[in-house]
Amino acid sequence: MKKISLTGIKPTGDLHIGNYFGAIKPALELAKEYDARYFIADYHALNSMKDPKELNSTIRQVAAGWLASGLDPEKVIFYRQSSIPEVFELTAMLMAFTSKGLMNRAHAYKAQVQENNEKGDDTDAGVNMGLFTYPILMAADIIIFDSDIVPVGKDQVQHIEMAQDIAQSVNANYGQQVLKIPQAGVQEDAAVIPGLDGRKMSKSYNNVIPLFVPEKILRKTIMRIVTNSQSVEEPKNPDESQIYQLYKLFADNDEQAALASRYRNGGMGWGEAKEELFRVVNRTLSPMRERYDAIMADIPSLDKILQNGAEKARPIAASVLKRFRKAAGVD
Ligand code: TRP
């Protein structure tokens, strides 16, 4: 039997190239090797998103984005967290095995407390119980499917360790392997994708190249890439240019070699380099954009895909929950 991998997707709208190469593409690769499950963590998002319209449309945008990027719902299980009530029942059970002290140590909570203390605010200002207990719900997301591996960035490793701690407390208490202990699959070499200003591409820096915008806007965005004041004639070092770093993600080897030598020979201005970057980016993104637009134009079909995924997921979740309830004496 193949091992199970599980990927939780935080609903954020406006997916960008950094998300695609840093998270989406590597996560989709796992479907080749693992029995892969992907879910939209919509109840996690509720902790911070209180505008119903925004949450509702963000859920669809991120789901459509993953589908347009190549997630095949026939081959993997793709669902919304909120469609699996067993996750929340498991969360309640795991609460009984989670010390408050463990939650006090969670990074997201600690960061908020520290910010409050620095500002002289009440220690727990802006902290709802969803944020405080976030790692327990995340542990349930993982444990409910007997997941073997959870591919995550470094920032999420602590959460996986907490899921391990919580599952181990359960197993230790009942003296048997009731819950599977998940492992983190840390993407050590996850490429850092440079943004328009050369810093890491990130929504918080406002330097992103979005994945699913009309061609015109894509072009305009690429033209905004910050460059130095080297003249057209001057030879340029491709390795010091974020245009070239981005180019490498989209161009084949011959194209990369050709552009690198144009850089080195001089005679090519930044404007031209950007045009060439736009050409290859658009070549990759055009078919994705078409798929995305088609999916977003038919929300009922999108919802049906997610619903079908939930129907595949629920019996698995129910059997894990049943095992735990039996061990706990609440069957
Ligand atoms: N916390 C993750 C993030 O911020 C999202 C997430 C929620 C998740 N539940 C998960 C990831 C379960 C992996 C497994 O990106």
Side-chain angles (χ1 to χ4, degrees):
M1 233 172 64
K2 275 192 185 171
K3 292 199 165 191
I4 296 162
S5 84
L6 177 106
T7 300
I9 303 164
K10 231 167 64 182
T12 39
D14 307 328
L15 292 172
H16 55 74
I17 285 177
N19 300 133
Y20 181 70
F21 288 101
I24 301 177
K25 211 171 159 215
L28 292 179
E29 286 288 318
L30 291 171
K32 293 183 189 149
E33 203 184 323
Y34 292 93
D35 187 350
R37 284 124 205 221
Y38 304 84
F39 73 96
I40 313 287
D42 46 6
Y43 268 20
H44 281 289
L46 187 58
N47 292 332
S48 56
M49 249 190 241
K50 297 296 195 293
D51 176 343
K53 274 206 188 116
E54 187 192 356
L55 183 52
N56 190 285
S57 78
T58 307
I59 290 167
R60 269 68 185 197
Q61 282 173 34
V62 75
W66 278 67
L67 289 165
S69 300
L71 185 151
D72 180 350
E74 298 295 323
K75 294 211 178 100
V76 305
I77 307 183
F78 185 42
Y79 58 94
R80 286 169 64 173
Q81 178 188 42
S82 59
S83 306
I84 317 290
E86 288 80 5
V87 168
F88 308 102
E89 200 174 334
L90 178 60
T91 304
M93 292 184 76
L94 294 179
M95 294 253 183
F97 292 84
T98 309
S99 68
K100 176 170 176 287
L102 186 70
M103 294 299 96
N104 288 341
R105 291 195 287 278
H107 292 319
Y109 171 66
K110 265 173 61 178
Q112 183 68 46
V113 167
Q114 193 186 343
E115 197 186 313
N116 289 339
N117 289 343
E118 276 163 13
K119 281 200 286 192
D121 285 350
D122 182 81
T123 301
D124 280 326
V127 178
N128 58 47
M129 289 305 286
L131 171 65
F132 186 63
T133 61
Y134 186 106
I136 310 177
L137 177 55
M138 180 155 161
D141 291 331
I142 297 167
I143 290 167
I144 197 75
F145 292 114
D146 278 339
S147 308
D148 292 290
I149 180 146
V150 187
V152 285
K154 288 200 186 96
D155 63 315
Q156 294 295 316
V157 170
Q158 190 203 35
H159 288 147
I160 309 296
E161 288 167 355
M162 289 182 163
Q164 293 171 338
D165 282 357
I166 297 169
Q168 264 149 3
S169 306
V170 171
N171 292 348
N173 183 71
Y174 300 112
Q176 51 169 310
Q177 166 90 20
V178 182
L179 305 176
K180 187 176 279 179
I181 311 294
Q183 303 300 325
V186 188
Q187 297 158 18
E188 289 291 355
D189 52 355
V192 174
I193 313 299
L196 300 177
D197 56 0
R199 290 186 294 174
K200 180 185 160 132
M201 192 179 288
S202 162
K203 240 169 111 174
S204 48
Y205 293 151
N206 197 16
N207 65 355
V208 307
I209 302 177
L211 279 178
F212 304 113
V213 286
E215 205 170 294
K216 258 195 179 160
I217 296 183
L218 178 64
R219 187 170 176 282
K220 262 197 182 157
T221 308
I222 288 176
M223 294 304 147
R224 276 179 29 226
I225 293 177
V226 177
T227 51
N228 62 22
S229 56
Q230 279 180 303
S231 69
V232 172
E233 294 75 34
E234 270 178 88
K236 302 172 177 64
N237 183 349
D239 300 322
E240 284 170 7
S241 148
Q242 71 259 36
I243 301 176
Y244 190 72
Q245 300 312 310
L246 290 166
Y247 191 73
K248 285 204 288 193
L249 299 166
F250 294 93
D252 65 31
N253 289 341
D254 290 349
E255 288 171 325
Q256 289 180 36
L259 188 65
S261 81
R262 290 187 69 197
Y263 263 79
R264 293 201 177 94
N265 293 341
M268 182 189 63
W270 293 125
E272 242 183 290
K274 289 179 187 177
E275 285 294 353
E276 177 57 12
L277 174 62
F278 166 70
R279 185 184 70 79
V280 294
V281 173
N282 194 46
R283 181 176 68 191
T284 300
L285 296 194
S286 286
M288 286 170 61
R289 179 194 307 126
E290 271 172 39
R291 286 198 293 271
Y292 180 83
D293 290 344
I295 295 165
M296 289 300 283
D298 184 3
I299 297 295
S301 296
L302 171 60
D303 286 348
K304 186 88 186 90
I305 289 173
L306 291 163
Q307 201 44 47
N308 287 343
E311 276 160 30
K312 285 193 256 177
R314 279 196 72 185
I316 307 169
S319 77
V320 174
L321 189 64
K322 195 168 165 202
R323 203 167 73 215
F324 190 4
R325 289 182 58 151
K326 191 156 191 283
V330 283
D331 55 329

